[in-house]
Amino acid sequence: MTATLPTDVQHALAAIGGRSFSHLFLVACGGSFAVMMAGKYFADRHSPSLPCDIYNGDEFVCRDPVRLGPGTLVVLCSQTGTTAETVRAARHARERGATTIGMTMAADSPLAASVDHVLGYQAAYTTGRPIDSAYSNYGILYMLLAGLFDQRERSALSPDLLVSLGRLQPAIDRAHETFAERFATYAPRFAPRETIYTLSSGASYGAAYSYAICVLMEMQWYGSQAIHADEFFHGPFEVVDEDAAFIVMIGLDETRRLTERARDFLFRFGDRDNMLVLDAAELDLDGMVEEMKPYLVPLILFDTLWRFAYRLAELRDQPMLEGRRYMKKLTDY
Amino acid sequence: MTATLPTDVQHALAAIGGRSFSHLFLVACGGSFAVMMAGKYFADRHSPSLPCDIYNGDEFVCRDPVRLGPGTLVVLCSQTGTTAETVRAARHARERGATTIGMTMAADSPLAASVDHVLGYQAAYTTGRPIDSAYSNYGILYMLLAGLFDQRERSALSPDLLVSLGRLQPAIDRAHETFAERFATYAPRFAPRETIYTLSSGASYGAAYSYAICVLMEMQWYGSQAIHADEFFHGPFEVVDEDAAFIVMIGLDETRRLTERARDFLFRFGDRDNMLVLDAAELDLDGMVEEMKPYLVPLILFDTLWRFAYRLAELRDQPMLEGRRYMKKLTDY
């Protein structure tokens, strides 16, 4: 029932054990960048000694933060291992003398060839086969960070994390059932729209970001934005009227009240029928350690929302992956 | 011609001089948060010894990064000094033992009362009177950071910065002329739309963010998102068609090629008539020191784009500030 630390994660942790890194950089693009946002939250909550920054691949290369150099650790992620900007970022980090760890599904990819340590992970998205989400991008990133922080901070995050990751896949499977009826109700309302916003905060903000840019915009050509629940009140809330449509992801982390506040506003000035709210409090997270739940919530909500996306795709008669007009179709941009 | 370091900035720098802070936090909401994004870029480029994070007010309070504590410096900003989340963040930082600096226009505001050092600044937005942008939120933040880094890193940023800030207001005035005709051409095209995206990278990303959420969404109720130029290619670019409208802000910093790449894509697959491009290379930045130009570009582009917003407001028959339905009209949210 408890997840096992994969051999490659063990090896990477052994190799970096005892190194006193001065900075941690989490670097990726798009959906993988969104996973790094959750990693940053985890780092902010658990590592007093290791400052952490996240950047997308090309911003990292060009901005070239002056703190990057020998004695820093750079963790990168690309599903296929071919994302040009992320591969470039890995090479840039190595040139600067940093230690590099690359997460990818493809052990023979350019990213894998450009880093010191390669960590594999599973994704249903790419293979179409059922997976155990304990070993997904989120899961592997958390395993690495928990191991790293346990070494540095004398914390004991890893055992609780592995127990909780062991309960993740069943929790996701149950979540599909929990939200199925809601998705069936909301899909016909959302399908014909031009614009759907997502909204969240804290550990779950990345999931909202990924859903907005990689699912709604990329695969279904909706207008969108992932609105941070606090920033919502400093501009974006002015677009709310009876016709505005939002997907709200309420997590279990310390920022929960931010998203609850935004949800209350949306219910008050918008139409509830246009507000698809997924509250992690509705989930059955049986067997997970309380402190780890907030970090696993974004995986569950995001995974579940794929089902909603497929419903939209059907109603809009626009296939998900195959419906893209530029990505994976053009090569010269 | 050279800008002068205001007395309050001098006092704050003298008070923190010699302190070896372990972390710098830049905290604000909405438009002020966007200014912090430029501050983060400046810190990343110039301070090897001081890690820096930016958060909006409530995310900072709830996330409560474990690195926050005595020996850390927290810089906050709120125009009116009344932004509840930012005031709360200042109090939270003090409770954690951090040194706090508050930037605000109101010396008698709750924010001013909640910080160790208060820095005043000027804003045309609030007073309606002409100002010298050297002493705007951006200008004061850069003065503070340059002074701080000069103390820590033995750099000499401040003299170059002050010379360049001294040339800022005339550069802004010239920029208005440079772009006036373009704004007149694009306003009737953009006014009737539902959605306008902004796009930028690096030091200018914050200006694109602020324009999307505080101007287009808040004051004119457009659908919008500030798309990062690299992230654009990992999802958002799929919404581009002949009808998509973008405002592209091309800066002079190290990330310039990212936004150029996105502009080229937009010209190729969109309609040029729907792409309002402001390229900082078109600006006359006479007298500024080369290295400082990239940091002052976002102020110039953002200030200039206000003129465009007023043109849109007129054509849409929706006044700018008075047109808001919730902000400054409701108090109970």
Side-chain angles (χ1 to χ4, degrees), chain A residues 29 91 109 143 313:
Chain A
C29 295
R91 290 176 185 153
S109 63
M143 286 182 194

Side-chain angles (χ1 to χ4, degrees), chain B residues 17 27 31 61 75 78 105 119 135 147 155 179 198 222 233 241 266 292 300-301 306 330:
Chain B
V27 180
V61 170
V75 180
S78 162
M105 294 184 62
L119 307 183
Y135 309 99
S155 54
F179 295 123
T198 66
Y222 284 104
F233 293 99
D241 59 19
L266 290 170
M292 290 298 149
I300 302 171
L301 297 183
W306 271 104
L330 284 177

